[in-house]
Amino acid sequence: MRVVVAPDKFKGSLSAPQVAAHLAAGLVHAVPGTEVVQVPVADGGDGTLDAAVSAGYRRVPVSAQGPTGEPVETAYAERDGTAVVEMADVSGLRQLPGGQLAARTASSYGTGEVVRTALDAGCRRIVLGIGGSATTDGGAGLVQALGGRLLDAGGREVGRGGAALAAVELLDLSGLHPALREAEVVVASDVDNPLLGPRGAAAVYGPQKGASPGDVAELDAALARWADAVRVATGVDTADRPGAGAAGGVGFAALAVLGAELRPGIDLVLDLVDFRATLPGAGLVITGEGSLDEQTLHGKAPAGVAVVARASGVPVVAVAGRSLLDPTDLAPTGIRAAYALTDIEPDPARCMSEAGPLLERLAARVAADWVTDDDDDDDKEPSRDSTSWV
């Protein structure tokens, strides 16, 4: 039997490629001869680079500035002139020194540096995953790194970070990277927030990045000045567009200045890794992530995998560190059963520290319920005793 394993990461314990490898090992140990195709996935945030590299893209190392200006070692993934850039890996929360949040000052400049490096190398299609950002700068840093100049009323360069945008008077795009005139930019984003207001970047996501109520008001006002400057420079007003508020407003800058297209993250990643091509002849798809919860149902990787697999007539089950969803929650996604590490190990700490071996044991349960040596047995159903039954 052919099984496609397409999980996202188990955050804090295993990357998506590691999850896939442990599931594959457990399946083959339980049912020798099982053909396992490993297709790690992501939703456009953490793990997007790993998914691309696992699919055959070449990892290209880049040194860039982190969200607060410190140097970080990151990369983009390249294949056939397409560069995959993961914002979380350069301007993300995990790149903040000591984990110290910096809502007012964090900048997307480093993300722009990676995009610039890819353009310099000849890439003309940029796929930018913007989940997991640490910034609320409206994408101003991204634009600065690509050659845009933000000037105050005295003609001086404006500093980095969202709060500094309060001084913006003029955006000069005359030095914007020339390759952007012909490059295609596609942004992976799963949010529909505008840039400004009560549903905007500062109000909704600022507190997650350390913004106090006063900071939120300051940042929203500064972003409004930035939006005005961008509108004058480009003749385009995208502040109210769905997704403009993504990644602290990077969605806004990508739309207005780079002419980007916004697409749901998991859909874009599934296309990048050519997931649909793995489905013909498959008898089962296994997806998953660290926690199956309400967010899973709204654009996260397992739901996206399930939609595509179900459309191809392939049954889908999910694995997770924990599952907070019952079968009726999962049914609309097409996930027919859910298996959690907490089913076999009640200690959450051990589920984190020993996730790999536990996943191999969990894979054996999946195999017992779904995997058979008989390729004609397409109607096998899970045992009610070993999993959530859908």
Side-chain angles (χ1 to χ4, degrees), residues 143-144 147-151 155-158 170-175:
V143 173
Q144 287 173 307
R149 298 175 67 223
L150 280 63
L151 305 175
R156 296 177 293 270
E157 293 270 359
V158 172
L170 173 71
L171 171 61
D172 176 7
L173 294 176
S174 62

Side-chain angles (χ1 to χ4, degrees), residues 109 112-113 116 119 140-150 157 171-178 180 257-258:
Y109 190 89
E113 289 183 295
R116 184 181 69 207
L119 292 171
L142 172 79
V143 173
Q144 287 173 307
L146 290 169
R149 298 175 67 223
L150 280 63
E157 293 270 359
L171 171 61
D172 176 7
L173 294 176
S174 62
L176 200 63
H177 199 297
L180 288 168
V257 180
L258 308 186

Side-chain angles (χ1 to χ4, degrees), residues 5 17-34 36 38 286 356-357 359-364 367:
V5 176
Q18 290 171 327
V19 173
H22 283 292
L23 286 171
L27 290 169
V28 172
H29 184 264
V31 184
T34 301
V36 182
Q38 299 180 46
I286 304 175
L359 266 175
E360 295 184 24
R361 287 174 54 193
L362 204 61

Side-chain angles (χ1 to χ4, degrees), residues 103-191:
R104 298 177 68 257
T105 56
S107 170
S108 57
Y109 190 89
T111 298
E113 289 183 295
V114 180
V115 172
R116 184 181 69 207
T117 302
L119 292 171
D120 288 344
C123 295
R124 291 299 177 264
R125 183 170 189 259
I126 306 295
V127 176
L128 178 57
I130 60 176
S133 75
T135 62
T136 313
D137 73 340
L142 172 79
V143 173
Q144 287 173 307
L146 290 169
R149 298 175 67 223
L150 280 63
L151 305 175
D152 65 15
R156 296 177 293 270
E157 293 270 359
V158 172
R160 308 267 174 83
L165 296 174
V168 170
E169 190 72 25
L170 173 71
L171 171 61
D172 176 7
L173 294 176
S174 62
L176 200 63
H177 199 297
L180 288 168
R181 287 194 290 268
E182 57 182 302
E184 175 191 5
V185 181
V186 186
V187 174
S189 172
D190 293 310
V191 305

